[in-house]
Amino acid sequence: MNTCLFFGQELHNTNSFPSLEKQIKPINKFGVKIYDDYVNLNKLEDPQVLDWFKAQDSLAEAYFSENRLFNNFLVKFEEYQNREKTAIRLIEINEKGNYFFIKYDEVEAREKLYFKEDVNSKAVEIFDPKSHGEITYLKPSFDGLKVAIGFHSDKKFSSIIRFLNIETGEFYQDQITNINPSFGGIEWLPDSSGFIYLYFPVIDQSSSGYKKNSYSVIHKLGEDPNLRKEVFGRNNIVNIPIDFYPKVKINSSADEYIIGYSASSNDYYDAYIAKISDLLSGKIIWEPFFKIKHKVFTTEGVVRDNQFIFRQGNNLGNQISSVNIISPNFNNPDLLAEGTLENPINQLALNKDNVYFSKSKFGVEVSLWKINDKGRIIQLKPPFVPGYATFFGGTITSSLIGVELDGWTSNYTRFLISGNDSLFEEGLQVETFYPEFKNLISEQIMIKSHDGVEVPLSLVYDPQTLKGSLNEVFIYVYGAYGESLSPFFYPIFLNWAAQGGILAFPHVRGGGEKGKIWHEQGQKLFKFNSWKDLIACTEGLIQKGFTQKGLISLYTSSAGGITAGMAVNERPDLFSSFIAEVPRLNPHGLESSQTVSSTSYLEYGSVKDSLEYIGLVKMDPYYNLKIGKEYPATLIISASQDDRIPLWDSGKYVAKLQSITNGNIPVLLDIDYQNSHDNFGYNDIVKLYSKIFSFAKNNMSGKQNRY
């Protein structure tokens, strides 16, 4: 039976929460009974629902318009951003060593596309996007004569890709739509005459076919883009599930083989292999290559000479392996290098001479390694101990290879690796200085969780400004998809520590800080470990005298919404505020949705499996909000153009929480109507984090200026 409830009480001399009719839908499956209190919010096309969301956004905007701290942060963060205006982004290097990148033009106050023949050459402007909008994607061809350029589309999910002729400065007629580079971009053919891309037939988020039945197509420049010649995806030979993504990989102009992947949100894929010559002749024959059971990490594998070299998962700390391409034996590959549980191998790259890989100790201390042509393993010596590293420029046709290094207190820098294994600065970017952060230090401590397992916890602070147990703490947590919360140098975050606070980063289970097992221990039925690790780390900060209740703000984003949301549900007393950006707060609802179009069930569980269904309910922050609990001040930031997490996901959580709190605390839903899940504009970032940090600061104990 449906019931109706209207609420809306006065909130400290401001407007009440927007009124909403509560429509309750009982759900009984596998003997588990739950109630969806706001099922009406699923109808995003309903004018009344849209008005409710707009009213929520207006309430949030009013809160920040009257907030002194917000404006203070805005000024400070804009100053940081202005220092970075000469920064370069979307740097792409092809195998000839040509550089393509986006750089801000201070004279004309906008970004442009530049080209350098090599790292030591002069940068030349090759495209001004003033009449096209912001550039979101770049992929140069192997021959250096063309570059694929991505732009925003009026469609929520799809981008528009055009192709610039470097010699003439003109665009080719070809224009590709129904493509999302986040799922699979442009893979140039070895001769650069065309490319392969992942095509999505349905990009309407309201359709049941949304993002499903995608397939890879080959396109030669000059042909009609609407021909869409399928090369991998919808046939009985490869048999790829409709919600997986059949994408391909071509590494270099010298490649003789193309590899197709049945891609998903899993770490491991099924893969198929074919000859490039058959592809170009139009008679491609795909052969099975490796299976999920062989634990080959996503697309981290390269064919060089007669060997396929790849990163492989194991029960310890991953390994670098090799098989013969003609007769591959993935059950018994050649072992080239291996990691440990505490220090797993987390990345692989190749050039024509060597194999490079990195290890990451507890997710925050990176070491760099090389395997030479004789199989000898050599450790490289970077200028500082990085917390994050990623290789770039590696291809089997060139000796050029570099690495990007970053850390909690060490600024992002790009280095090239010389033939004698030394690292020297690439020099492409002008270094930006931040003397205000010179006193900051970082450390990692270990906290015992509910089951005795030790959880790494990274802290960043200024030891000269610590105030005993009165330090204001800003926690950032994620814990999903095996992604490590790696160190990053970001002035907008470091400002918190420079002003006397503590930044805390719990490396909870569900991430990859201790290898694949660490991920699996925070998945599906074991997801509870993620939020219990977070609770233990928060309690540990208090017990070790860093802080106390009322001085701890919790922030997360995307899939971290489950970890953080459930920690708040179980221990709301620990947190002064809860802030979540484009969060997943109703995983049961999303996996049950008729338009669900991702493979996230591989991470959280399926509604079709009785045990996994129970796990989904137990990890759902929306369903587990309870009347009678005192929750912290809450700010949920959502994006109306989000292609992964629909607006109703956050809306339901906020509606239910507002009905429970009855206006005693701020519960805000701030909606970004311009951007998508992870694509915020240059100026939008400043405003976003000004809201986040001002809300955190404003709601510390004794500082509540609620409205």
Side-chain angles (χ1 to χ4, degrees):
M1 181 176 71
N2 291 344
T3 61
C4 297
L5 173 67
F6 288 84
F7 61 89
Q9 300 182 14
E10 290 298 314
L11 298 180
H12 308 284
N13 299 320
T14 69
N15 295 328
S16 61
F17 289 138
S19 296
L20 178 68
E21 180 182 5
K22 180 186 285 189
Q23 294 183 1
I24 301 174
K25 177 184 178 182
I27 302 170
N28 195 341
K29 188 171 183 177
F30 297 124
V32 178
K33 192 167 186 178
I34 54 178
Y35 295 90
D36 187 344
D37 289 350
Y38 293 95
V39 67
N40 45 325
L41 285 178
N42 285 67
K43 301 176 182 178
L44 294 175
E45 70 283 356
D46 186 327
Q48 290 185 334
V49 170
L50 290 174
D51 287 344
W52 181 84
F53 277 110
K54 289 177 182 177
Q56 291 287 351
D57 183 57
S58 295
L59 185 64
E61 292 300 324
Y63 172 90
F64 289 109
S65 69
E66 301 170 2
N67 191 306
R68 176 181 56 82
L69 283 172
F70 167 73
N71 291 311
N72 290 345
F73 277 112
L74 195 63
V75 171
K76 173 58 71 175
F77 294 168
E78 283 177 345
E79 192 272 321
Y80 288 151
Q81 201 83 312
N82 287 335
R83 284 195 226 176
E84 295 276 1
K85 275 196 172 177
T86 56
I88 293 169
R89 67 180 184 90
L90 293 182
I91 304 170
E92 293 288 338
I93 310 173
N94 66 7
E95 62 183 25
K96 295 179 66 175
N98 303 145
Y99 278 73
F100 299 79
F101 54 89
I102 305 298
K103 183 179 178 181
Y104 187 81
D105 185 320
E106 293 189 82
V107 176
E108 299 193 37
R110 63 174 176 272
E111 292 183 321
K112 297 179 181 179
L113 175 60
Y114 289 83
F115 169 84
K116 293 181 72 167
E117 191 166 340
D118 57 50
V119 69
N120 297 313
S121 300
K122 182 181 178 180
V124 178
E125 178 192 327
I126 58 173
F127 175 60
D128 183 346
K130 62 181 178 182
S131 60
H132 294 77
E134 181 184 6
I135 295 176
T136 59
Y137 173 76
L138 291 177
K139 186 66 177 288
S141 59
F142 295 122
D143 62 12
L145 301 179
K146 317 165 191 72
V147 59
I149 305 176
F151 303 97
H152 287 299
S153 165
D154 57 356
K155 305 294 184 183
K156 292 182 180 180
F157 176 72
S158 175
S159 295
I160 295 174
I161 308 291
R162 301 195 64 187
F163 303 88
L164 185 69
N165 185 317
I166 305 301
E167 293 180 314
T168 66
E170 300 292 329
F171 277 109
Y172 288 86
Q173 294 286 330
D174 315 63
Q175 181 170 294
I176 301 300
T177 60
N178 291 60
I179 179 175
N180 186 313
S182 296
F183 289 79
I186 297 297
E187 293 291 322
W188 285 98
L189 298 174
D191 63 2
S192 299
S193 63
F195 49 88
I196 297 174
Y197 70 98
L198 183 63
Y199 172 75
F200 289 90
V202 181
I203 55 176
D204 179 1
Q205 196 168 357
S206 64
S207 171
S208 60
Y210 175 54
K211 287 197 294 189
K212 296 178 182 178
N213 290 305
S214 59
Y215 55 95
S216 285
V217 301
I218 186 170
H219 176 83
K220 293 290 190 73
L221 287 171
E223 293 181 343
D224 181 357
N226 293 317
L227 290 177
R228 299 194 189 95
K229 301 174 185 175
E230 179 185 346
V231 294
F232 184 63
R234 301 178 303 172
N235 60 64
N236 294 328
I237 297 175
V238 294
N239 192 28
I240 294 176
I242 64 172
D243 51 357
F244 281 43
Y245 308 110
K247 58 185 182 181
V248 304
K249 184 179 180 184
I250 301 175
N251 290 291
S252 77
S253 62
D255 279 13
E256 296 181 7
Y257 295 92
I258 181 173
I259 302 176
Y261 299 90
S262 179
S264 68
S265 61
N266 200 349
D267 285 333
Y268 310 135
Y269 301 160
D270 288 334
Y272 304 82
I273 193 166
K275 292 181 178 179
I276 292 285
S277 56
D278 289 343
L279 167 70
L280 297 177
S281 70
K283 300 177 181 179
I284 191 167
I285 300 174
W286 293 100
E287 299 288 347
F289 194 33
F290 54 79
K291 296 291 185 182
I292 288 175
K293 68 180 181 180
H294 296 127
K295 299 182 177 181
V296 179
F297 273 100
T298 56
T299 57
E300 291 188 47
V302 177
V303 178
R304 190 178 68 184
D305 300 325
N306 64 342
Q307 297 294 306
F308 178 69
I309 301 169
F310 57 98
R311 186 168 71 102
Q312 187 174 29
N314 60 29
N315 292 328
L316 296 175
N318 307 331
Q319 63 193 48
I320 306 298
S321 302
S322 173
V323 297
N324 185 285
I325 195 68
I326 303 301
S327 55
N329 183 356
F330 287 96
N331 292 317
N332 188 27
D334 293 329
L335 176 65
L336 305 182
E338 58 185 338
T340 65
L341 280 176
E342 293 185 354
N343 201 15
I345 295 174
N346 66 339
Q347 194 176 163
L348 166 72
L350 277 74
N351 65 4
K352 73 174 185 178
D353 306 306
N354 307 298
V355 176
Y356 295 86
F357 66 92
S358 64
K359 296 181 181 180
S360 181
K361 186 176 181 179
F362 294 144
V364 299
E365 185 179 319
V366 171
S367 54
L368 306 175
W369 306 80
K370 180 183 89 171
I371 308 173
N372 66 16
D373 57 358
K374 294 180 174 56
R376 182 183 168 208
I377 300 175
I378 302 166
Q379 184 170 2
L380 307 183
K381 296 180 180 179
F384 60 90
V385 178
Y388 169 82
T390 185
F391 295 103
F392 64 85
T395 172
I396 63 171
T397 64
S398 169
S399 296
L400 186 150
I401 192 166
V403 63
E404 301 173 358
L405 303 182
D406 205 350
W408 295 126
T409 58
S410 302
N411 204 349
Y412 164 84
T413 311
R414 289 168 59 98
F415 295 88
L416 294 175
I417 303 174
S418 68
N420 63 4
D421 301 333
S422 62
L423 277 69
F424 60 95
E425 285 196 35
E426 181 186 48
L428 187 66
Q429 293 181 303
V430 178
E431 186 175 358
T432 305
F433 295 98
Y434 295 93
E436 58 266 56
F437 304 139
K438 65 181 180 180
N439 294 326
L440 299 185
I441 65 169
S442 62
E443 67 169 317
Q444 189 174 74
I445 60 177
M446 305 301 289
I447 303 293
K448 281 192 176 181
S449 192
H450 68 104
D451 54 359
V453 171
E454 288 194 323
V455 180
L457 172 62
S458 295
L459 305 176
V460 180
Y461 57 88
D462 184 343
Q464 299 178 12
T465 60
L466 286 184
K467 311 176 189 70
S469 63
L470 297 176
N471 302 292
E472 296 180 345
V473 175
F474 185 86
I475 295 178
Y476 176 27
V477 70
Y478 186 69
Y481 291 106
E483 293 185 12
S484 297
L485 188 55
S486 300
F488 55 89
F489 184 93
Y490 197 19
I492 283 176
F493 271 70
L494 293 176
N495 176 76
W496 184 274
Q499 298 304 314
I502 296 176
L503 294 169
F505 305 91
H507 302 282
V508 303
R509 279 172 279 189
E513 285 84 350
K514 290 187 180 182
K516 182 61 177 174
I517 290 178
W518 199 246
H519 175 205
E520 291 172 344
Q521 289 177 351
Q523 270 188 310
K524 295 185 178 180
L525 295 176
F526 298 101
K527 187 63 188 171
F528 63 89
N529 283 321
S530 298
W531 68 78
K532 290 189 180 296
D533 287 354
L534 170 56
I535 290 171
C537 286
T538 308
E539 291 176 327
L541 286 169
I542 296 170
Q543 292 165 2
K544 291 180 180 293
F546 284 102
T547 189
Q548 58 187 251
K549 291 182 181 180
L551 298 177
I552 305 172
S553 180
L554 176 61
Y555 164 68
T556 191
S557 61
S558 193
I562 296 174
T563 298
M566 286 304 301
V568 169
N569 280 356
E570 288 197 6
R571 289 297 306 278
D573 59 300
L574 288 176
F575 307 102
S576 58
S577 62
F578 171 40
I579 305 165
E581 177 193 349
V582 290
R584 188 177 292 256
L585 294 169
N586 182 208
H588 170 276
L590 196 56
E591 297 304 330
S592 303
S593 171
Q594 301 233 339
T595 58
V596 61
S597 53
S598 74
T599 56
S600 55
Y601 60 86
L602 297 172
E603 180 72 12
Y604 310 116
S606 170
V607 295
K608 299 176 182 178
D609 181 284
S610 59
L611 290 178
E612 292 183 0
Y613 181 89
I614 294 171
L616 275 169
V617 173
K618 288 183 177 180
M619 74 174 70
D620 195 297
Y622 166 59
Y623 284 121
N624 286 285
L625 286 168
K626 302 297 182 185
I627 295 174
K629 283 192 175 183
E630 294 185 9
Y631 290 95
T634 300
L635 170 63
I636 307 298
I637 302 170
S638 296
S640 67
Q641 308 297 313
D642 197 328
D643 60 272
R644 302 179 200 177
I645 303 175
L647 196 55
W648 53 256
D649 185 289
S650 293
K652 288 182 175 183
Y653 180 87
V654 168
K656 188 172 182 178
L657 184 57
Q658 286 179 343
S659 70
I660 291 172
T661 60
N662 291 318
N664 295 321
I665 58 167
V667 178
L668 303 177
L669 177 59
D670 189 24
I671 303 171
D672 188 316
Y673 284 99
Q674 304 300 321
N675 297 298
S676 58
H677 186 79
D678 55 1
N679 187 15
F680 285 82
Y682 185 80
N683 295 319
D684 296 329
I685 291 291
V686 169
K687 188 175 181 181
L688 171 69
Y689 282 110
S690 296
K691 291 177 177 179
I692 289 169
F693 282 101
S694 65
F695 192 84
K697 192 84 170 175
N698 221 50
N699 287 284
M700 290 295 175
S701 179
K703 294 185 179 179
Q704 287 89 347
N705 176 22
R706 292 190 171 108
Y707 280 87

